[in-house]
Amino acid sequence: MQRFAEWLTTSRARALVGAAVLAFLALLLPFGSWLPGALVVLLAVHAASRVQNVAGPTEGTGAVLPGGRTGQVLDDRAAALVAAFTLAWWLLSAGAGAVPSALVTTALILPPFLIGRLLARGVPLTLTFQFTTLGALAFLCVVHLVLADPPGVWRPFLEKLAAELDRMGAMMSNVGSGRRPQDAELIEASAARMWGVVTWLLLLNTMVAAFAGLWWAGLAAKQPRLGPAFRQLKAGRTLAVVALVVTVATLAFGWNLAADATWVFLGAFVLQGLAVLHAMHHLFGLGTHWLVGTYVLLFLPFTTVFVLGGLAVFGFLDNWYPLRERLAARDRRGGPGGT
């Protein structure tokens, strides 16, 4: 993987070819939608560090490289455009339509591009994570303010999906398909929460792209970038208070916007819970099998809900009871489990 990161950052031509290939793979590989965004983040961070090395530590990231060209602007912007064009072409060829293709392309490329620019300017990963969470919440607010019936956008899609599933079930069982009475209620309930789920996935995809981009940048620079930053990841008490208010509003009033926002906070606190787990692994030298086992259980259908809930609670409590700081202080004092 280090050779791949170095290959991508060797020349602009390789970066653009990599952008096209990774954008093609984003919709072809399961869980690969973060790939083009990770490349954009990698190029932004790598170009900023290269500018600092050339211009000196006191210069800004907009310094001019030899040849009179600003590396960050040329690299990550061009790669983002190539990746966006490839994604749009791929979606249009699959019959997705102009509007869905534009929306998906924007969602997969623009947020990582903005995050890469923030990281390249020296903004800490934690602050970038908080900005991304706030951006996801702002997106939900715009959706509920602009659309007269937000769930109605998803009903045709879910009805078509339900019809396809019924047809497949009928073919497998050789019996007539007929719409079951509970299907309409299930479609309505799913449509009511689709915006929250989609925004949660957008937050997750954006942050995974940022994590992978930082990791690749560290490999290319031969110094750790992701690990120390990820172990400090925190949503903060302000977002934790907002999450409490949103949860109360959901339970008390059944407000659709608040219910959708709970999905965003769930994703944010799950990531913070994983950060706490990695910090404990780093501080106390716990076996890697604990981390691997957690990630495996996170993706198993029968344990996903329980692991997500546990990590979210763990991450939420970390905003009020600073587990990592206390553990690090205990480790420095040489207490039980200390070095």
Side-chain angles (χ1 to χ4, degrees), residues 278-313:
H278 278 264
M280 294 176 62
H281 172 267
H282 177 74
L283 286 171
F284 299 112
L286 301 178
T288 308
H289 60 277
W290 287 101
L291 288 176
V292 175
T294 301
Y295 281 101
V296 170
L297 294 175
L298 187 60
F299 289 97
L300 288 179
F302 299 104
T303 56
T304 297
V305 175
F306 302 102
V307 177
L308 282 176
L311 288 173
V313 171

Side-chain angles (χ1 to χ4, degrees), residues 162-235:
E164 291 295 329
L165 293 176
D166 283 344
R167 189 177 299 111
M168 290 178 60
M171 292 174 61
M172 295 178 63
S173 60
N174 293 323
V175 297
S177 64
R179 179 61 58 88
R180 295 181 295 274
Q182 63 270 26
D183 280 353
E185 299 177 0
L186 180 60
I187 290 174
E188 188 64 29
S190 301
R193 297 285 74 82
M194 277 298 292
W195 281 113
V197 174
V198 168
T199 308
W200 171 40
L201 294 176
L202 177 61
L203 170 67
L204 180 62
N205 182 82
T206 303
M207 292 311 303
V208 170
F211 299 153
L214 274 179
W215 180 54
W216 285 350
L219 292 178
K222 296 181 175 61
Q223 60 181 0
R225 290 184 181 272
L226 174 62
F230 180 71
R231 289 191 292 268
Q232 299 298 322
L233 198 71
K234 178 175 289 189

Side-chain angles (χ1 to χ4, degrees), residues 108-140:
L108 295 184
I109 301 299
L110 183 58
F113 174 78
L114 297 176
I115 280 189
R117 287 303 179 94
L118 290 175
L119 294 173
R121 291 179 178 273
V123 178
L125 181 63
T126 290
L127 189 56
T128 304
F129 169 58
Q130 294 170 357
F131 285 155
T132 307
T133 305
L134 289 174
L137 294 172
F139 170 75
L140 276 179

Side-chain angles (χ1 to χ4, degrees), residues 141-167:
C141 292
V142 170
V143 166
H144 282 268
L145 288 174
V146 172
L147 298 179
D149 181 22
V153 175
W154 298 101
R155 288 192 193 102
F157 169 77
L158 293 173
E159 289 174 355
K160 183 178 180 180
L161 179 62
E164 291 295 329
L165 293 176
D166 283 344
R167 189 177 299 111

